[in-house]
Amino acid sequence: MDTQLFRQIWAAQDTAYDLMSEYDSLPHCYGSVVLYQAEAYIVNLIGQHPGITVTQLAETLNKTTSACSQIVRKLRAKGFVEQIRNPDNNRLYNLELTEAGAEVFQAHISFNQECQEKTFELLKDFTGEELSIHLRVQRRLNEAYQDDVKRSREQLSRP
């Protein structure tokens, strides 16, 4: 085992995490609209799943219902989302995109495609085998992260 190489991988993952966290904290332009990443994710999910509820959003995003409700409230105030009472269950509201929200949804799709194309361009010099090895390594690292999350949750739930 090459401990030095493992430490370099660890440091590179830390850098990647920091960059992704910074990226997620910044607002992004989707056409002429500026939204935070969390708002764009919710517009995207509603666009992909018209009629989704806030509870379903929370489950999908692994967030609290309250957090998703706050974001939906902001998106409603901006005119991108509307809540429609469920005809079969008077207590439920289904979420739909407004016309302006549908435009943001399409702009978000274009933005993501552009980001992917730029990333794929940076990776084009790697062979398929190299990329496959990276994917295997990343999946193994993700297993370690999942285990860390599980252990932290277990520690927090202990009396």
Side-chain angles (χ1 to χ4, degrees), residues 4 6 8 11 23 29 38 40 47 56 62 70 72 77 89 120-121 124 126 128 147-148 157:
Q4 183 61 27
F6 286 159
Q8 289 174 0
Y23 178 84
C29 293
Q56 291 168 325
N62 199 25
Q70 288 176 11
V72 166
N89 184 340
F120 296 164
E121 181 66 23
K124 74 178 184 182
F126 292 97
D147 188 55
D148 290 345
S157 67

Side-chain angles (χ1 to χ4, degrees), residues 10-100:
W10 188 277
Q13 286 289 301
D14 282 347
T15 300
Y17 173 80
D18 292 342
L19 290 169
M20 286 186 279
S21 293
E22 181 180 0
Y23 178 84
D24 281 348
S25 73
L26 297 171
H28 301 282
C29 293
Y30 302 102
S32 62
V33 174
V34 176
L35 292 177
Y36 284 92
Q37 195 73 356
E39 294 171 319
Y41 281 152
I42 287 184
V43 166
N44 193 52
L45 282 172
I46 296 170
Q48 290 176 346
H49 307 282
I52 194 170
T53 65
V54 170
T55 302
Q56 291 168 325
L57 283 175
E59 290 170 359
T60 301
L61 295 170
N62 199 25
K63 295 190 178 291
T64 65
T65 303
S66 175
C68 288
S69 291
Q70 288 176 11
I71 296 170
V72 166
R73 198 172 313 121
K74 289 177 186 177
L75 292 169
R76 286 180 60 213
K78 293 177 180 183
F80 301 133
V81 173
E82 58 186 353
Q83 289 180 304
I84 300 168
R85 190 178 296 275
N86 185 309
D88 299 325
N89 184 340
N90 224 15
R91 296 180 299 156
L92 285 180
Y93 287 91
N94 298 99
L95 303 173
E96 302 281 342
L97 295 178
T98 63
E99 188 175 318

Side-chain angles (χ1 to χ4, degrees), residues 82-146:
E82 58 186 353
Q83 289 180 304
I84 300 168
R85 190 178 296 275
N86 185 309
D88 299 325
N89 184 340
N90 224 15
R91 296 180 299 156
L92 285 180
Y93 287 91
N94 298 99
L95 303 173
E96 302 281 342
L97 295 178
T98 63
E99 188 175 318
E103 290 175 14
V104 171
F105 173 59
Q106 290 303 316
H108 183 257
I109 289 171
S110 296
F111 180 85
N112 278 350
Q113 286 175 337
E114 183 181 323
C115 289
Q116 283 183 356
E117 287 170 10
K118 288 180 180 182
T119 301
F120 296 164
E121 181 66 23
L122 289 171
L123 298 175
K124 74 178 184 182
D125 294 335
F126 292 97
T127 66
E129 183 180 352
E130 289 171 320
L131 293 171
S132 293
I133 290 169
H134 171 76
L135 185 57
R136 284 181 42 220
V137 169
Q138 187 61 57
R139 285 179 175 155
R140 187 60 55 95
L141 290 169
N142 290 350
E143 287 177 27
Y145 299 146
Q146 286 173 333

